[in-house]
Amino acid sequence: MHIGPIPLANRLFVAPMAGVTDRPFRQLCKALGAGYAVSEMVTSRKDLWDSLKTSRRANHEGEPGPIAVQIAGTEAQMMAEAAIYNVERGAQIIDINMGCPAKKVCNKWAGSALMQNEALAVEIAAAVVQACEPLGVPVTLKMRTGWCQQHRNAVQLARQFESVGIQMLTVHGRTREQRYQGQAEYDTIAAVKASVRVPVVANGDITSPEKARDVLAATGADAIMIGRAAQGRPWIFREIGHFLATGEHLAPPLVAEVRRLLLDHLNDHYSLHGEQTGVRSARKHIAWYLRALPGGEDFRQRINTIDDAAAQWQAVADHLDALGAQMDRLPAAHGQDTDTQEQERLVA
């Protein structure tokens, strides 16, 4: 599979998630079988480009390509300038955010709110494509099925986005009104796939190898994108890849491997975010890894009281050492069920 001229390793993608898909998380998912990962969204506002938050989000040091950066905003010219800014800093693919359901984004008419204004949405897509085309950088776009149940316009928009040069479309199988509630539906994604020639990626509620297989079959999509199910379970990509290739399940990871992965992840996380911010923001990752394991809830409460990076790292190491004395491997179902409200609370 390709995005424009850029080849991808496979058709298993990491979804951009604010506060989650920083460079350490993207690198980890890629190392564990993801063929492509998109950064958490970067604002198109120039006055925020030099902020610490934006600089961390735009950090791609040592990350294997292709480097994909998602941008968000409401003005075509600003979005075009943001695209160029990020290309100059290493982006090889630009992704436009028209899928984020967060109130703080939609209240400014960015993210999925743009689907209510089709003319503006297409104007933004066209402006970003025109800015990136001379640089040889393909532009992709992520959206939802529509704003609400009565206004599902993904198919109409998909055709228009393709006509102005968007080279891949990702569709989350929910409206903005649904946020992450209820069940994702895939009929709209299938309809988008049938209406355009560019690659289409299916997103939403893909939590197991079987579900990945079924969604690919139901939608005809070229790839799948996984978000919340990879939180605390980055090995889901190799599990799905193995199942799609062989029809067989991999054994759950060894506790010793999870210990190594999580501790390395924490070191990378502290390195990027610094100790003060890193310790706080690492808490959600630790909770996701351990939530379904014995003692996970008690340990989460304890880890939330630790403010020192070395102490946090050591507490995790000790906890997993103790767990390893009880079991060799994680339980087979670990991480397959997601609690939406808990996910949103931790990401917020």
Side-chain angles (χ1 to χ4, degrees):
M1 180 177 171
H2 290 69
I3 299 177
I6 299 175
L8 303 180
N10 59 46
R11 53 180 179 164
L12 309 177
F13 298 175
V14 185
M17 295 175 281
V20 179
T21 49
D22 56 13
R23 176 178 49 76
F25 185 80
R26 296 193 304 271
Q27 287 179 301
L28 179 60
C29 290
K30 287 179 177 180
L32 290 171
Y36 180 64
V38 184
S39 75
E40 49 188 329
M41 63 183 177
V42 176
T43 180
S44 61
R45 287 177 50 186
K46 284 184 178 181
D47 59 312
L48 297 177
W49 286 351
D50 292 329
S51 70
L52 183 59
K53 183 176 182 179
T54 297
S55 68
R56 284 172 176 160
R57 288 187 170 190
N59 185 305
H60 312 289
E61 294 171 10
E63 182 178 358
I67 303 300
V69 175
Q70 186 181 78
I71 59 174
T74 59
E75 297 181 16
Q77 186 56 37
M78 285 177 62
M79 288 284 279
E81 292 172 357
I84 294 173
Y85 173 85
N86 282 283
V87 170
E88 290 174 345
R89 281 150 187 79
Q92 298 167 294
I93 299 168
I94 294 293
D95 186 64
I96 299 173
N97 182 329
M98 292 192 191
C100 180
K103 287 183 179 179
K104 64 183 179 182
V105 174
C106 290
N107 285 346
K108 298 175 183 176
W109 287 91
S112 56
L114 285 167
M115 296 187 73
Q116 295 181 94
N117 187 336
E118 293 187 10
L120 177 58
V122 175
E123 180 188 357
I124 287 172
V128 175
V129 169
Q130 289 168 14
C132 291
E133 202 166 37
L135 305 174
V137 173
V139 179
T140 64
L141 187 145
K142 188 171 191 279
M143 61 179 172
R144 290 191 163 230
T145 57
W147 176 255
C148 62
Q149 181 75 20
Q150 295 74 33
H151 190 62
R152 284 186 175 162
N153 57 341
V155 172
Q156 301 94 292
L157 277 170
R159 294 190 184 113
Q160 295 180 76
F161 291 146
E162 181 182 42
S163 73
V164 299
I166 294 296
Q167 297 197 42
M168 186 180 78
L169 291 161
T170 300
V171 185
H172 184 120
R174 289 181 173 89
T175 63
R176 187 274 166 184
E177 186 178 62
Q178 290 178 275
R179 294 178 59 83
Y180 298 101
Q181 305 297 326
Q183 300 296 312
E185 58 91 6
Y186 306 109
D187 289 347
T188 302
I189 302 176
V192 169
K193 173 59 184 172
S195 70
V196 297
R197 294 182 299 277
V198 296
V200 172
V201 183
N203 177 223
D205 291 354
I206 301 170
T207 59
S208 70
E210 289 87 353
K211 190 64 176 286
R213 174 200 62 199
D214 294 346
V215 169
L216 285 167
T219 62
D222 301 277
I224 53 173
M225 181 172 277
I226 298 169
R228 289 172 294 149
Q231 294 171 357
R233 190 186 167 199
W235 49 86
I236 190 174
F237 297 100
R238 74 180 182 196
E239 290 177 340
I240 291 174
H242 182 81
F243 182 80
L244 292 178
T246 67
E248 299 176 352
H249 287 278
L250 283 176
L254 293 165
V255 173
E257 182 189 18
V258 174
R259 181 186 188 278
R260 175 182 61 80
L261 292 171
L262 177 49
L263 293 177
D264 287 350
H265 185 185
L266 290 176
N267 282 332
D268 288 346
H269 192 85
Y270 303 145
S271 178
L272 176 63
H273 295 282
E275 177 164 345
Q276 185 175 14
T277 300
V279 167
R280 292 197 305 271
S281 58
R283 290 170 182 164
K284 60 178 176 283
H285 288 284
I286 296 168
W288 288 329
Y289 275 91
L290 303 178
R291 61 193 164 198
L293 297 175
E297 177 56 28
D298 289 342
F299 185 72
R300 183 179 73 83
Q301 294 182 23
R302 179 187 163 207
I303 210 72
N304 286 347
T305 67
I306 298 175
D307 294 320
D308 175 78
Q312 184 185 68
W313 189 96
Q314 192 61 53
V316 171
D318 293 344
H319 182 77
L320 286 167
D321 282 340
L323 191 65
Q326 301 174 41
M327 60 180 71
D328 288 334
R329 294 184 181 273
L330 267 58
H334 174 57
Q336 292 190 11
D337 296 322
T338 57
D339 180 274
T340 299
Q341 290 184 344
E342 178 71 0
Q343 298 269 344
E344 290 187 310
R345 182 183 69 78
L346 289 169
V347 173

